[in-house]
Amino acid sequence: MPHISPKKTWEGIIGSWLLTNAAGIGLVFPMFGTASLSPASVLMLVLGITLIFILAVYGDLAGSLVKRSLSVKDSGSLLPGIGGLFDLIDSPSFTVPFLCLLMMTVVY
């Protein structure tokens, strides 16, 4: 969406998705102490990670849209090179509620 965030590319999104899945799958093995996962488990894990990843991208784009509508490049200067605290919470503001709901559904 170049009119919202012109520096984001499809290559960056695909690369981020691949790295996110690799990290997620790589963390599952040591967490559960297993040498292998069934194909169904890996598929469910990838689908869950993909859904959370999509929500994170939408959160980032929503944050960019808010900043663009206010004609602001950075939301603050407290953390140099980051762009402000708002840039640190835009993706989690979309993903954390979903993840909490998912965990409450699975655990209870």
Side-chain angles (χ1 to χ4, degrees):
M1 299 201 159
H3 61 282
I4 295 176
S5 189
K7 293 190 178 188
K8 289 192 179 36
T9 63
W10 284 111
E11 293 85 0
I13 288 178
I14 292 168
S16 296
W17 177 77
L18 289 171
L19 287 173
T20 302
N21 275 291
I25 292 169
L27 287 172
V28 166
F29 290 102
M31 283 176 57
F32 293 106
T34 180
S36 66
L37 293 173
S38 70
S41 297
V42 172
L43 179 63
M44 290 302 292
L45 184 61
V46 168
L47 288 175
I49 289 170
T50 299
L51 184 57
I52 292 170
F53 177 81
I54 289 170
L55 288 170
V57 170
Y58 276 121
D60 187 50
L61 288 173
S64 295
L65 183 63
V66 168
K67 289 192 310 184
R68 185 153 309 268
S69 68
L70 296 173
S71 299
V72 176
K73 177 168 176 14
D74 291 333
S75 60
S77 59
L78 184 63
L79 301 168
I82 301 288
L85 289 175
F86 184 69
D87 288 328
L88 295 176
I89 64 166
D90 55 5
S91 290
S93 67
F94 276 51
T95 57
V96 169
F98 171 76
L99 190 58
C100 287
L101 182 66
L102 180 67
M103 292 186 73
M104 288 187 323
T105 304
V106 171
V107 172
Y108 295 111

